[in-house]
Amino acid sequence: MNDLKTDIWSTVLTSIKSKISDDSFITWFDNTSLEEITESEVVVGVPNKFVKTFIVEKFSKIVDDALAITIGGTKTIKYKIIPELRNKIENARIKGINFKDKKIIDIESNS
């Protein structure tokens, strides 16, 4: 089931990415996941409350549409804060990973 969820979410993200700017996609969707899918609902993992609120307020229709196209119907979408996703972002900052350019910057030597 994990592979199916990964495949579904990858397709959804591809659809979302085609409708918003790269910066918006990286900021709001790069660290999300499909946590659960049932007959009636989908649970999307987000790294923190701020991301959850922003996606719900600004991108609900885009997410709804992408999911409906991918899974062939509409479902209730719930968002769940997943600490591991937040830690992924924080760990990347500590290590100097620039998600936009997908490159590693050595913070200690400033190069």
Side-chain angles (χ1 to χ4, degrees):
M1 181 65 163
N2 278 341
D3 288 340
L4 178 60
K5 287 191 301 188
T6 300
D7 290 345
I8 290 170
W9 194 240
S10 178
T11 303
V12 169
L13 290 176
T14 299
S15 177
I16 292 168
K17 190 172 186 174
S18 72
K19 293 174 177 44
I20 64 175
S21 72
D22 287 343
D23 287 341
S24 290
F25 180 82
I26 291 166
T27 301
W28 304 113
F29 292 98
D30 210 32
N31 293 297
T32 60
S33 63
L34 179 59
E35 294 296 314
E36 187 177 336
I37 185 167
T38 67
E39 292 290 323
S40 61
E41 75 179 23
V42 170
V43 178
V44 176
V46 294
N48 56 52
K49 187 176 179 179
F50 182 68
V51 170
K52 173 185 171 183
T53 301
F54 198 88
I55 289 174
V56 168
E57 289 179 0
K58 301 291 183 183
F59 298 113
S60 284
K61 177 141 177 50
I62 292 172
V63 175
D64 288 345
D65 291 347
L67 268 166
I69 291 167
T70 303
I71 60 177
T74 59
K75 296 184 184 287
T76 301
I77 302 172
K78 294 184 177 179
Y79 294 88
K80 179 179 179 182
I81 297 168
I82 306 294
E84 291 80 13
L85 296 174
R86 181 179 64 240
N87 291 339
K88 179 180 172 184
I89 294 169
E90 290 168 0
N91 289 338
R93 285 187 187 133
I94 290 168
K95 293 177 183 175
I97 296 174
N98 179 336
F99 281 116
K100 182 176 179 184
D101 297 329
K102 300 289 187 198
K103 63 184 176 182
I104 298 177
I105 303 164
D106 185 352
I107 294 174
E108 291 180 11
S109 65
N110 293 326
S111 56

